[in-house]
Amino acid sequence: MLIAGFSHAESRKLTLCYDKYPPYAIGEFGEAASGGIKVKLLQDIGKQLDILVAVKILPWKRCLSAAKDGLVDGILPLYKTPEREQFMAFTLPVMRQYNCFLYKKSAFRGRVDWTDYQALKDHHLGMEIGSVVDKDMEAIFESAHPIERAADSITLMKMMDSGRIDLATIDSNVGKYLINQQGVADTIGVSDVPIGKLSYAAFGFSKASGADRWVAEFNKVIEKMRKAGLLEKLEAQTSK
């Protein structure tokens, strides 16, 4: 009976990972997340399903690798891509997200068409390591200069301040949060124009860990939350 009880408890526990990416996930690398919008969403769903949930803060590339190898049970809401579907099963969408450009204001004067990547390609672009944004856009910039890669968005902002890059791709809500948090709104701007199309983020569950069996249960709760308007409130929070 004790063994059976222990096995049941273990089966009701999920550990997911995410990058250090306020306002979605807050914490330090290698430690448990201390907060964040996506962390709270997982906790809310966990309560409804009677699951003990935890979130590890890991560098993005390591988080993806851990999910692929089954070292964690999945990743907080992220974009679904064919490559990621090879090792993760995705839930229904839980929030809309889009990438945009952070830009150094002094490098751009007058009106800039953020959708005309050919006109922007002479500027140096920065991106986070492991990020997937828009391959066509990336190819255009790569044709003029190598894309600079950094571990996180704050490092990209420092690279922009030093003149190493002029633009950087970033999640729109993360960009707005960091601009205010870092006090750089006078020198760095955030474009409101999506790069590519609007995307919908969903929980990704590791096939290697066996956590993909939770997709159906999560979907039931997600549908209930959507009907109650709770996910719309979550999306409104991300834009503040």
Side-chain angles (χ1 to χ4, degrees):
M1 290 294 292
L2 288 173
I3 294 172
F6 177 76
S7 298
H8 176 73
E10 285 294 298
S11 69
R12 306 297 295 183
K13 181 178 179 180
L14 287 172
T15 299
L16 277 65
C17 65
Y18 207 71
D19 204 345
K20 182 167 68 174
Y21 217 39
Y24 296 131
I26 300 169
E28 298 301 324
F29 289 129
E31 299 180 5
S34 59
I37 294 168
K38 291 184 178 181
V39 175
K40 186 179 185 306
L41 174 61
L42 175 65
Q43 291 170 340
D44 290 346
I45 294 175
K47 287 178 182 177
Q48 295 188 58
L49 292 175
D50 191 28
I51 303 172
L52 181 63
V53 297
V55 177
K56 289 182 178 179
I57 300 295
L58 298 175
W60 188 240
K61 199 170 182 179
R62 185 177 163 194
C63 181
L64 287 168
S65 178
K68 186 175 184 178
D69 295 339
L71 300 177
V72 296
D73 295 309
I75 302 178
L76 292 180
L78 74 165
Y79 300 129
K80 181 168 67 173
T81 67
E83 181 183 0
R84 292 171 182 174
E85 283 185 291
Q86 291 179 21
F87 59 92
M88 286 190 292
F90 285 82
T91 66
L92 293 171
V94 292
M95 64 176 64
R96 291 177 296 175
Q97 290 180 241
Y98 66 89
N99 285 287
C100 65
F101 286 121
L102 280 178
Y103 61 97
K104 189 173 184 178
K105 290 183 176 180
S106 63
F108 298 92
R109 293 181 174 82
R111 184 177 179 277
V112 177
D113 184 354
W114 297 107
T115 62
D116 186 357
Y117 305 132
Q118 286 287 350
L120 296 173
K121 71 178 183 180
D122 287 336
H123 292 278
H124 290 266
L125 175 68
M127 296 179 66
E128 286 193 34
I129 296 169
S131 64
V132 177
V133 179
D134 184 310
K135 290 186 177 180
D136 291 336
M137 178 275 293
E138 292 172 36
I140 290 171
F141 277 93
E142 286 276 13
S143 70
H145 305 286
I147 294 174
E148 299 283 350
R149 296 280 178 172
D152 53 53
S153 297
I154 292 179
T155 302
L156 287 172
M157 292 169 68
K158 291 177 179 177
M159 292 167 63
M160 197 174 297
D161 185 58
S162 69
R164 186 172 168 183
I165 61 174
D166 305 312
L167 293 158
T169 58
I170 197 168
D171 178 282
S172 62
N173 296 308
V174 173
K176 292 169 186 175
Y177 173 88
L178 288 179
I179 289 295
N180 292 326
Q181 186 208 46
Q182 298 294 312
V184 294
D186 291 340
T187 58
I188 297 178
V190 184
S191 167
D192 286 325
V193 180
I195 298 173
K197 61 183 180 180
L198 285 172
S199 297
Y200 290 80
F203 287 98
F205 287 107
S206 170
K207 294 179 181 179
S209 79
D212 53 331
R213 67 188 178 87
W214 283 103
V215 169
E217 294 299 312
F218 264 65
N219 282 345
K220 290 177 183 178
V221 176
I222 289 167
E223 286 181 328
K224 185 167 67 173
M225 293 179 74
R226 178 72 70 189
K227 289 178 181 178
L230 297 177
L231 293 183
E232 285 74 9
K233 289 181 180 179
L234 177 71
E235 289 175 357
Q237 280 183 289
T238 64
S239 62
K240 290 181 180 179

